[in-house]
Amino acid sequence: MKRELNPSETNSIDLYKILVSAVMPRPIAWVSTTSKDGVDNLAPFSFFNAVSVKPPILAFAPALKEHNGKPTEKDTLRNIRETGEFVVNVVSRDLVEKMNQTSFDYAPDESEFDAVGLTREPSRLVKPKRVAESPINFECRLYQIIDFGREVQSGSLILGEIVMTHLDERVFKNGKIDMAELNPVGRLGGLWYCGIGDRFELKRPAKKRENAE
Ligand SMILES: Cc1cc2nc3c(=O)[nH]c(=O)nc-3n(C[C@H](O)[C@H](O)[C@H](O)COP(=O)(O)O)c2cc1C
């Protein structure tokens, strides 16, 4: 027996809980932006993925939050609308605590880099700084924003074109990313996360080209 659930008859908190516990594990984009006043912002987003190679596009989705009783854009979305630039930093296992701390709702004039003690590293082609401690950084220029609504919990899909990639040689060896060395984390439902402890290889059906996705 499967229980039917119509999203239009389900409150958004229950729907959120179902979505984040069913669509998982999710990768985490640790997104740095700079406000038009020059404040360096940093926040994690697990509604995230790579969605195109040509052009190379990353996508993630901040939701509107409630502030003073009104739906309000998170700093990351506002900064990207205003500046058109961001950096996606990859979160390895050793960074997960600091990543979590940057999800606190700091005031727009307070930098998460300083609040949690992370090192700013200049980017090559965009203004937002990179997280020096993160092993992989993607400098992105805004490609498109798709707003799904104007209520609290409405998402805005931010698509960014990668214009520069930085790969730490500890994790990038012989043209490949060493999974064990990267030690990535995924987001599950509730307050749960996962590492890459239980992993396995699965051969694709025969006759596939070797480098096909
Ligand atoms: C692991 C993790 C994943 C998160 N994913 C999302 C997400 O996909 N969308 C979202 O709106 N908020 C997400 N959050 C909450 C934001 O990080 C949080 O609201 C943050 O304060 C936003 O920062 P900003 O206002 O500086 O943009 C996530 C938090 C954590 C810890």
Side-chain angles (χ1 to χ4, degrees):
M1 261 295 269
K2 283 182 179 162
R3 209 172 120 196
E4 288 187 344
L5 201 131
N6 186 334
S8 64
E9 292 159 7
T10 311
N11 78 58
S12 60
I13 294 168
D14 291 342
L15 201 51
Y16 168 81
K17 286 184 186 162
I18 289 167
L19 285 174
V20 296
S21 302
V23 183
M24 66 172 193
R26 295 181 306 286
I28 300 168
W30 205 10
V31 180
S32 39
T33 52
T34 303
S35 74
K36 62 177 180 359
D37 303 325
V39 180
D40 295 319
N41 195 86
L42 184 62
F45 297 91
S46 68
F47 283 24
F48 165 60
N49 226 308
V51 294
S52 170
V53 177
K54 266 188 184 226
I57 303 283
L58 297 179
F60 74 99
L64 295 179
K65 65 178 180 182
E66 186 168 332
H67 183 68
N68 292 336
K70 285 193 201 132
T72 306
E73 295 191 345
K74 294 187 178 180
D75 296 343
T76 302
L77 175 58
R78 198 198 50 246
N79 291 347
I80 293 173
R81 274 199 212 284
E82 289 177 357
T83 67
E85 294 181 336
F86 61 95
V87 176
V88 172
N89 304 277
V90 170
V91 181
S92 49
R93 181 72 185 80
D94 56 320
L95 291 170
V96 79
E97 304 285 347
K98 291 213 164 174
M99 175 282 294
N100 189 37
Q101 286 173 35
T102 63
S103 72
F104 182 77
D105 195 12
Y106 292 100
D109 60 353
E110 201 175 349
S111 175
E112 288 83 359
F113 278 91
D114 303 322
V116 314
L118 286 159
T119 317
R120 294 168 172 83
E121 196 166 27
S123 294
R124 284 253 293 127
L125 299 177
V126 300
K127 200 167 171 200
K129 310 290 188 303
R130 296 179 285 137
V131 175
E133 289 81 353
S134 162
I136 302 177
N137 326 96
F138 296 106
E139 296 183 26
C140 296
R141 285 218 177 90
L142 179 61
Y143 183 89
Q144 195 181 342
I145 299 178
I146 302 169
D147 297 309
F148 298 115
R150 299 311 302 169
E151 295 170 64
V152 172
Q153 297 265 42
S154 296
S156 290
L157 185 66
I158 299 177
L159 301 165
E161 179 166 354
I162 301 168
V163 292
M164 185 59 66
T165 304
H166 303 263
L167 300 148
D168 191 314
E169 284 171 357
R170 279 180 299 129
V171 302
F172 189 60
K173 298 168 187 164
N174 306 318
K176 282 186 185 165
I177 290 175
D178 182 325
M179 220 192 298
E181 209 54 68
L182 179 61
N183 205 5
V185 286
R187 184 80 159 103
L188 305 172
L191 296 174
W192 288 92
Y193 290 83
C194 63
I196 51 164
D198 173 29
R199 58 184 195 273
F200 52 88
E201 248 186 315
L202 191 59
K203 293 251 183 311
R204 291 289 293 267
K207 299 230 168 185
K208 263 273 176 193
R209 279 178 294 116
E210 211 166 61
N211 61 352
E213 173 34 39

